[in-house]
Amino acid sequence: MWYGFNVLWFFSAGWKDLVINPGRIHIDEHDLDFIKGMGCNFVRLPTDYRYFIHDFKYDEYDEEMLKVLDKAVEAIVSRGLHCSLNVHRGPGYCINGNELERHNLWTDKIAQDAFTNLWAMFAKRYQNYSKEQLSFDLLNEPPAPGQYGLTRENHKMIMDRVAKAIRAVTPDREIICDGLGGGHMAAPELADLNVTMSGRGYQPFHLTHWKSEWNEKNGSFEWDYPKWPGTEENGKVWDKTALKEFYAPWKKMADAGSKVHIGECGVYNKVRNDTALAWYRDFFDVCNEMGFGWALWNFRGPFGIAEHGRQGTNWEYKEGIMLDRDLYELFIEKMQNH
């Protein structure tokens, strides 16, 4: 099973400035050494296609930016960590700021061609890495059926097309597909594509995203302070049993032979750390019971184990990193006891 973190070196924030100066992208090898030292074996690398394709010129790739990506992949793999290369924003779709796209991945052939060609390029560029070293996570958090023109049928058609383009280059490449509805909904219709399914560890949302600024329009600043167990959300009271019920469709897929991994999880830094730790303990237990590995959404930062800034944290300065000692120890304990 895979255990580790997302690293955000090629994430959307500030991408325009970085495209002008690729040398400003900081590949934090010290963090990778720390992650490896924890006993982790997995790093997810979300990317924004606009680093490599500019002004919707889908057939033109920025080679200088790709060389920086090469260095990031090699930095991860060279440490014996599995690199999961993810397209977080793809031509025609992103869960954040989708309106910035000129085309629609689910309905427009031009976007579908661009998306397929992007992955075909990655397949050729990284064909010398083994499946143990590198996987391809095709698209971060597709929408729910009915949003933006996505259906389960056209989603499967697109993912199947891309998987075939990749496997034409490297037949045994590990391919990952995120769940629908922002990664939360299982997609058993993809089982025959022979892909790993990637879920999310953000339930209940009113706890994990309490007072998240990007959800303010959805009322995140108006939600009652969450407690664990016992947070109420949409008429449901959440506890460890509710988490098990939520992941039951994912467990059903796993029992039928699909690989399942929780590619993102975590608690935003506005809640107190005792609340977050109580949730993490039950969440890790449920993942272990169901046989799912996990990756926190970021290592350093508001969802991570380092420098997250939650109140009431037992901080420890370790190897140059301001660390949440309790979460660090809990992560390792649950990882080792799977």
Side-chain angles (χ1 to χ4, degrees):
M1 284 185 281
W2 288 328
Y3 299 93
F5 299 89
N6 287 254
V7 294
L8 309 187
W9 309 328
F10 284 86
F11 193 55
S12 299
W15 70 274
K16 287 186 178 179
D17 293 336
L18 295 170
V19 166
I20 295 170
N21 183 4
R24 287 183 54 202
I25 294 179
H26 178 54
I27 299 169
D28 200 324
E29 299 196 40
H30 178 66
D31 285 2
L32 295 178
D33 289 334
F34 193 96
I35 290 168
K36 178 66 174 179
M38 288 178 62
C40 296
N41 59 1
F42 178 90
V43 171
R44 184 171 182 256
L45 182 59
T47 66
D48 184 329
Y49 83 97
R50 296 174 297 179
Y51 282 103
F52 320 116
I53 297 171
H54 310 316
D55 301 321
F56 306 103
K57 298 175 182 177
Y58 296 130
D59 58 350
E60 298 178 17
Y61 298 114
D62 186 329
E63 181 62 23
E64 292 306 307
M65 291 301 303
L66 287 170
K67 288 178 180 177
V68 182
L69 182 65
D70 295 344
K71 293 178 182 178
V73 172
E74 178 61 22
I76 295 167
V77 169
S78 65
R79 286 166 168 78
L81 294 162
H82 179 90
C83 177
S84 182
L85 179 62
N86 165 247
V87 170
H88 190 276
R89 175 180 286 274
Y93 177 72
C94 185
I95 193 169
N96 304 120
N98 187 67
E99 69 279 359
L100 300 176
E101 294 303 310
R102 182 174 294 175
H103 305 102
N104 184 322
L105 178 60
W106 315 112
T107 60
D108 295 343
K109 183 177 184 297
I110 187 173
Q112 294 167 9
D113 290 348
F115 183 58
T116 303
N117 293 338
L118 177 64
W119 274 115
M121 181 273 291
F122 284 148
K124 293 172 184 174
R125 194 173 189 95
Y126 300 123
Q127 62 185 309
N128 291 329
Y129 288 111
S130 70
K131 66 178 182 179
E132 289 76 26
Q133 293 174 312
L134 179 69
S135 61
F136 290 160
D137 182 349
L138 300 186
L139 183 67
N140 183 72
E141 299 178 0
Q147 289 184 305
Y148 306 119
L150 177 140
T151 66
R152 288 186 180 268
E153 292 75 22
N154 66 14
H155 173 257
K156 179 177 180 177
M157 176 195 70
I158 294 165
M159 297 304 131
D160 183 41
R161 179 185 173 188
V162 175
K164 286 176 177 173
I166 292 167
R167 287 171 174 153
V169 180
T170 45
D172 65 345
R173 177 65 63 209
E174 185 93 25
I175 294 175
I176 299 172
C177 288
D178 289 11
L180 302 179
H184 297 285
M185 299 169 61
E189 65 273 9
L190 302 187
D192 60 356
L193 302 188
N194 189 28
V195 297
T196 295
M197 293 303 305
S198 180
R200 293 295 176 266
Y202 293 133
Q203 298 293 334
F205 214 66
H206 285 193
L207 187 154
T208 65
H209 286 68
W210 187 69
K211 287 196 174 182
S212 55
E213 293 81 0
W214 61 98
N215 283 293
E216 184 174 3
K217 65 181 180 180
N218 297 321
S220 63
F221 281 75
E222 309 302 322
W223 300 337
D224 291 338
Y225 181 81
K227 54 185 178 179
W228 190 263
T231 291
E232 290 191 38
E233 182 177 318
N234 298 326
K236 181 175 183 176
V237 178
W238 282 85
D239 56 12
K240 192 173 185 177
T241 298
L243 285 177
K244 292 179 182 179
E245 293 171 353
F246 177 79
Y247 288 110
W250 295 86
K251 182 64 165 62
K252 185 177 180 180
M253 285 193 68
D255 289 344
S258 295
K259 297 179 183 177
V260 174
H261 182 254
I262 306 302
E264 291 183 22
C265 59
V267 178
Y268 193 48
N269 66 358
K270 296 300 188 289
V271 301
R272 295 188 301 269
N273 209 40
D274 57 348
T275 303
L277 288 168
W279 179 88
Y280 275 117
R281 182 172 296 278
D282 282 349
F283 170 74
F284 291 154
D285 281 344
V286 169
C287 286
N288 281 344
E289 181 178 325
M290 296 193 169
F292 306 158
W294 64 76
L296 264 65
W297 177 260
N298 65 12
F299 174 71
R300 296 179 191 247
F303 285 89
I305 67 167
E307 303 172 6
H308 57 57
R310 279 194 292 271
Q311 292 183 1
T313 299
N314 176 23
W315 295 110
E316 177 179 322
Y317 197 64
K318 181 178 175 66
E319 299 177 26
I321 297 173
M322 189 60 70
L323 190 71
D324 179 340
R325 184 71 197 189
D326 296 327
L327 182 54
Y328 167 80
E329 291 180 349
L330 181 64
F331 187 112
I332 293 175
E333 172 196 342
K334 299 302 182 182
M335 174 176 61
Q336 293 176 342
N337 293 337
H338 67 261

